[in-house]
Amino acid sequence: MTQPTPIRRVACGLAAAGLPVLPLRAGKVPFGNCRACTGNACGGRPNMKTAGPCTCPAPCHAWAAATTDPHIITSPAWSPAWAEAVAVAYHPGGAGLTVVDLDNPAAIAWARENLPATRTVPTTRGQHWIYQGAMPSANAVRPGVDIKSRSQYARWLGTGTGRMTVLPSAVRALVVREEATPARRGVASSSPRAWDRTVASGCRHTERYVRTGLERGLSLVRQHTETGAGSQAFGVARFLAAQHTTCPGPCGLDAIGEEIVAATVSVGVPEPYARRAVANGFQTALERAA
């Protein structure tokens, strides 16, 4: 019986080919930061958007830890992670690549009609379309479509099929640049209606439960004063909507969405972008629950 190739050996082979790699733990997510790096107390990796002084030898900081250095990959500091790893990830932007992550059949059908053919890799639910060239990363650029490049990782699922083509303008156009500078005077959104029991007569959760989760989510959005508020809004909307997929309804998701939009706009994100991120977050939660 043929034994599977050890994960670390796969990683070394990818690194030798020029792909910066990192281990993924159960759940197919990066390993958490060590104590010294928790909360980016170390300042972050020097290759992140805001350069930091971190020289931690462990695979901290998710995609920013990805490397092609075989001495780091096989180092004692990385060995415990490889021993628990369930998969290998790579940093597309670090290899000059962009991955268009198509999460469902509808997204694949859209890509076939609107994007030039390129190398394709099957995933659990959809496909990765890989292009030559790097660009900013962004979640939920349209339903079921994420862009993974300069500041995200992609799981290694094989070499795929087809000839890789140059990153087209059609993919670059999917990412709307977030104007996520500190809020300027005059930046405003429609006045949101706060969530309460009157707009959620069919919700199975207590008002305290919903408000606590919502306030935590709004706090996460407001912390992104430099960049990423739109992506965070998408994540918050997706998480909160997922909590209500088994409720008889109505649950007042419209009111929840308005509060997320208002928080996102407060840190400088254009309202149309904020609304699209929240709507896509809600839609993604519903599709995954279906």
Side-chain angles (χ1 to χ4, degrees), residues 55-94:
T55 57
C56 174
C60 297
H61 307 293
W63 65 267
T67 181
T68 58
D69 188 335
H71 299 293
I72 295 177
I73 295 170
T74 59
S75 68
W78 280 49
S79 292
W82 289 122
E84 297 181 27
V86 299
V88 179
Y90 66 99
H91 177 213

Side-chain angles (χ1 to χ4, degrees), residues 160-249:
T161 58
R163 182 179 178 180
M164 193 181 304
T165 57
V166 175
L167 181 65
S169 58
V171 172
R172 294 186 184 277
L174 291 172
V175 177
V176 177
R177 184 178 180 276
E178 291 186 35
E179 297 176 6
T181 51
R184 301 177 299 278
R185 185 172 299 176
V187 174
S189 176
S190 333
S191 299
R193 178 180 181 182
W195 190 95
D196 59 36
R197 182 54 61 187
T198 63
V199 297
S201 57
C203 181
R204 66 185 180 86
H205 302 292
T206 65
E207 183 165 348
R208 180 179 179 182
Y209 176 90
V210 176
R211 285 302 322 175
T212 297
L214 177 57
E215 289 301 331
R216 288 176 179 172
L218 298 179
S219 177
L220 289 173
V221 172
R222 295 181 185 119
Q223 289 173 25
H224 287 72
T225 57
E226 296 296 330
T227 188
S231 295
Q232 184 66 65
F234 166 82
V236 169
R238 180 180 59 185
F239 174 80
L240 293 177
Q243 311 310 304
H244 297 275
T245 55
T246 60
C247 293

